[in-house]
């Protein structure tokens, strides 16, 4: 980047200043009371992220049959809404009052309330109560979490059984708030059979969107998965949208949970966030949700009374934390590299710029920096965005292996029809650069050749016009 002239940094946008966005984040596990949300609210809103996934916590809410104490959740919903964030709720998990095994597992995780007519009716009553309570504040309700995994469906996953459970739950949601949207899925696996069985069992008729989870270091196979899920859903109901409900990586190889033990660092985590977040948008998901806001215990297979069974620390957060002797996330909740990457990406994607095809072609030119020629690979990720004010952005990156490679090269583009000042924007650190004139060949009034631009293994943006706000650098 030393050939470029840094002119400032991306101006961050608080969530309250953004009306439309497809950027989301996870605020899960407060049903098990594993971190202090008050230490996170302001930092979360400052990123400019919009959609916030929380979990409903039946066991935490109904401790006496028929008596609901929503005070803990009232606070969370109200604090998020007050900061311009949009909460959406995953309805989960079991309750030892009705699912006896729920007394065994910490947080009653995976204890499905369809073991008896009493349990199912109690679940539906709870769903009716929570949806009624937050009507006007929460409009989107997801049914369960990762039902295709034994950790979240302890009896052993069954797509048809889950589909029927969604039908029963959706009835209660719609009775409480006819305008509410119901999400099904929260699937983690790359197996179409489970989803097909669920849709065939009636889920296709009662959901507005299917959610999926994507814990992979590479985004190369993402489009295949989203296209397949969309085609499957639309074979039943063409109105079903696709939402990415959880995707993330760790910032340390010490972490428990998905992709544990890999050579994760803060920088690799930030790259994964940027690559997957943009790739999700390119696949046309309704919105995308990064997991998660906080470092916290995983707590999916804990046993009540056996603290050691759920002191399984995950380092997926954009905010780093310490842990006390009970596994509670403590300390100051410190921003990581991924926090700043998300903040910059949210500003770039604020107000949901339109995904467009730009008149652009890659060119292979001599590259003095490489003592050879430019990078030229048609499998690179590349996309265009356009704002209502006419400004545009070309986003591009090389999908190198995150865990083994720190990729840098140069790339050249011929691009036509764009107007306004040309800037190169790096969302990793928020730096905004002016291109020197020797990198810009004006081939006509409307056609430019941009030579030897930097290319990295995470998204960079070439912007034309007033695409993103710029503030003075520090």
């Amino acid at each position: 980047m030393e050939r470029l002239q840094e002119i400032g940094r991306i101006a961050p946008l608080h969530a309250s200043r953004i009306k439309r966005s497809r950027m989301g984040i996870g605020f899960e596990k407060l049903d098990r009371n594993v971190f202090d949300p008050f230490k996170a609210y302001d930092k979360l809103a400052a990123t400019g992220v919009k959609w916030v996934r929380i979990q409903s916590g039946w066991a935490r809410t109904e401790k006496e049959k028929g008596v609901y104490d929503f005070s803990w959740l009232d606070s969370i919903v109200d604090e998020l809404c007050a900061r311009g964030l949009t909460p959406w709720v995953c309805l989960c998990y079991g309750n030892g009052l009705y699912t006896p095994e729920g007394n065994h597992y910490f947080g009653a995780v995976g204890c499905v309330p369809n073991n008896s007519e009493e349990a199912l009716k109690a679940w539906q009553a709870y769903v009716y109560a929570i949806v009624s309570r937050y009507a006007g504040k929460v409009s989107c309700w997801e049914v369960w979490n990762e039902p295709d995994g034994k950790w979240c469906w302890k009896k052993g996953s069954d797509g048809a059984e889950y589909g029927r459970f969604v039908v029963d739950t959706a009835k209660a949601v719609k009775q409480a708030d006819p305008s509410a949207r119901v999400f099904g899925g929260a699937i983690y696996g790359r197996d179409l059979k489970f989803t097909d069985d669920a849709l065939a069992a009636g889920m296709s008729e009662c959901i507005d969107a299917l959610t999926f989870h994507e814990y992979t270091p590479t985004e190369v196979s993402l489009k295949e998965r989203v296209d397949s899920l969309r085609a499957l859903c639309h074979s039943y109901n063409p109105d079903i949208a696709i939402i990415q409900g959880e995707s993330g990586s760790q910032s340390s190889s010490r972490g428990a949970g998905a992709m544990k033990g890999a050579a994760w660092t803060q920088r690799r985590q930030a790259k994964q966030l940027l690559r997957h977040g943009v790739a999700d948008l390119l696949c046309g998901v309704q919105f995308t949700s990064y997991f998660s806001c906080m470092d916290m215990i995983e707590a999916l297979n804990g046993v009540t009374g056996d603290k050691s069974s759920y002191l399984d620390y995950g380092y997926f957060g954009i905010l780093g934390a310490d842990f006390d002797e009970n596994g509670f996330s403590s300390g100051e909740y410190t921003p990581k590299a991924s926090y700043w990457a998300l903040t910059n990406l949210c500003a770039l994607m604020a107000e949901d710029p339109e995904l467009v095809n730009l008149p652009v072609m890659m060119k292979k030119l001599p590259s003095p920096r490489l003592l050879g020629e430019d990078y030229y690979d048609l499998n690179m990720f590349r996309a265009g965005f356009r704002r209502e004010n006419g400004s545009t952005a070309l986003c591009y990156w090389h999908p190198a292996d995150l865990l083994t490679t720190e990729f840098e090269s140069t790339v050249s583009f011929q691009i036509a029809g764009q107007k306004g000042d040309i800037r190169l924007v790096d969302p990793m650190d928020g730096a905004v650069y002016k291109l020197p004139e020797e990198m810009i060949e004006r081939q006509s009034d409307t056609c430019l050749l941009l030579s030897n631009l930097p290319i990295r293994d995470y998204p960079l943006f070439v912007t034309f016009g007033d695409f993103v706000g710029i503030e003075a650098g520090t």
Side-chain angles (χ1 to χ4, degrees):
M1 297 291 190
E2 66 268 19
R3 295 171 299 149
L4 312 181
Q5 177 187 348
E6 184 174 341
I7 60 172
R9 299 277 167 148
I10 295 174
L13 292 174
H14 191 276
S16 62
R17 296 178 56 196
I18 298 173
K19 294 179 181 178
R20 302 188 316 276
S21 176
R22 288 192 285 160
M23 303 305 300
I25 198 165
F27 212 58
E28 294 93 349
K29 303 190 184 180
L30 287 169
D31 59 313
R32 282 149 278 172
N33 192 27
V34 302
F35 69 92
D36 180 358
F38 283 92
K39 290 163 59 174
Y41 291 130
D42 288 337
K43 292 174 181 176
L44 181 59
T47 67
V49 76
K50 201 68 178 174
W51 295 87
V52 182
R53 183 177 186 249
I54 56 180
Q55 291 174 303
S56 69
W58 185 21
R60 188 174 180 183
T61 302
E62 186 180 355
K63 296 182 179 179
E64 178 183 343
K65 286 188 176 182
V67 178
Y68 306 116
D69 180 2
F70 287 108
S71 57
W72 70 277
L73 193 53
D74 287 344
S75 174
I76 295 167
V77 171
D78 289 344
E79 294 290 342
L80 292 173
C81 290
R83 290 165 174 80
L85 297 155
T86 303
W88 60 292
V89 177
C90 176
L91 295 164
C92 60
Y93 283 111
N95 190 317
L97 296 173
Y98 307 100
T99 53
E101 68 274 20
N103 294 313
H104 175 71
Y105 292 106
F106 178 66
V109 173
C111 302
V112 190
N114 62 353
N115 54 304
S116 68
E117 185 176 352
E118 181 196 20
L120 184 57
K121 288 191 179 216
W123 167 256
Q124 289 179 305
Y126 162 70
V127 170
Y128 181 88
I130 190 173
V131 175
S132 299
R133 189 175 188 88
Y134 300 114
K137 295 181 180 179
V138 177
S139 61
C140 301
W141 301 88
E142 183 182 46
V143 183
W144 216 253
N145 181 60
E146 297 190 352
D148 55 338
K150 188 168 176 55
W151 49 91
C152 284
W153 199 274
K154 293 288 197 288
K155 64 173 72 175
S157 62
D158 181 315
E161 181 185 42
Y162 171 68
R164 292 189 293 270
F165 183 69
V166 173
V167 172
D168 291 333
T169 305
K171 288 177 183 176
V173 172
K174 291 295 188 178
Q175 286 172 356
D177 181 3
S179 67
R181 301 180 69 221
V182 178
F183 299 164
I187 51 173
Y188 88 95
R190 296 180 63 87
D191 179 11
L192 290 176
K193 182 181 183 303
F194 179 91
T195 305
D196 191 29
D197 288 346
L199 291 165
M203 185 175 80
S204 63
E205 300 172 14
C206 62
I207 63 170
D208 299 282
L210 181 84
T211 58
F212 72 96
H213 297 175
E214 181 81 359
Y215 289 100
T216 57
T218 178
E219 68 283 14
V220 170
S221 59
L222 181 63
K223 186 177 187 302
E224 178 196 42
R225 188 179 187 199
V226 174
D227 286 350
S228 296
L229 290 173
R230 182 180 285 117
L232 176 60
C233 287
H234 288 187
S235 70
Y236 288 91
N237 179 353
D239 295 326
I240 297 174
I242 305 296
I243 291 167
Q244 190 281 98
E246 276 189 34
S247 177
S249 61
Q250 312 221 24
S251 60
S252 169
S253 61
R254 298 177 294 131
M259 299 187 290
K260 64 183 179 182
W264 292 110
T265 64
Q266 283 203 30
R267 182 170 174 81
R268 287 170 177 163
Q269 180 192 44
K271 288 182 183 181
Q272 198 266 2
L273 181 154
L274 290 170
R275 285 167 58 160
H276 277 255
V278 177
D280 285 337
L281 300 183
L282 303 191
C283 291
V285 299
Q286 194 163 91
F287 61 84
T288 175
S289 187
Y290 179 78
F291 181 86
S292 65
C293 178
M294 288 299 310
D295 283 355
M296 54 190 162
I297 56 176
E298 287 294 286
L300 288 175
N301 293 297
V303 174
T304 304
D306 180 7
K307 187 164 57 177
S308 65
S309 69
Y310 53 83
L311 297 185
D312 48 353
Y313 307 110
Y315 298 94
F316 293 92
I318 60 169
L319 295 173
D322 300 319
F323 298 98
D324 68 14
E325 66 277 8
N326 296 310
F328 191 84
S329 300
S330 58
E332 295 302 316
Y333 297 0
T334 307
K336 302 180 189 176
S338 57
Y339 177 93
W340 303 113
L342 179 62
T343 300
N344 295 324
L345 184 59
C346 286
L348 281 159
M349 293 294 104
E351 307 308 337
D352 194 16
E354 180 187 6
L355 182 65
V356 295
N357 288 320
L358 296 176
V360 58
M361 296 187 70
M362 199 166 17
K363 296 292 183 179
K364 186 187 292 186
L365 301 180
S367 177
R369 292 189 63 81
L370 304 180
L371 298 178
E373 294 182 316
D374 277 325
Y375 168 95
Y376 189 91
D377 186 342
L378 295 178
N379 292 317
M380 73 183 294
F381 276 76
R382 187 174 73 189
F385 295 94
R386 177 179 290 118
R387 292 199 178 280
E388 292 178 353
N389 65 6
S391 63
T392 55
L394 170 65
C395 173
Y396 61 94
W397 73 96
H398 172 60
D401 188 328
L402 278 175
L403 298 173
T404 63
T405 304
E406 180 75 28
F407 178 84
E408 295 185 27
S409 189
T410 64
V411 65
S412 296
F413 296 109
Q414 186 184 41
I415 187 163
Q418 310 312 301
K419 298 179 181 179
D421 293 335
I422 307 170
R423 303 287 183 253
L424 188 136
V425 182
D426 185 342
M428 181 67 76
D429 61 7
V432 180
Y433 299 92
K434 179 181 178 180
L435 301 185
E437 283 302 315
E438 58 266 25
M439 294 178 68
I440 305 171
E441 180 184 339
R442 302 182 187 278
Q443 298 182 317
S444 72
D445 289 342
T446 58
C447 189
L448 304 172
L449 179 64
L450 305 180
S451 60
N452 304 149
L453 298 176
I455 180 172
R456 299 278 177 86
D457 52 352
Y458 61 85
L460 297 176
F461 291 76
V462 176
T463 65
F464 300 84
D466 186 18
F467 191 86
V468 67
I470 304 173
E471 63 181 12
T474 56

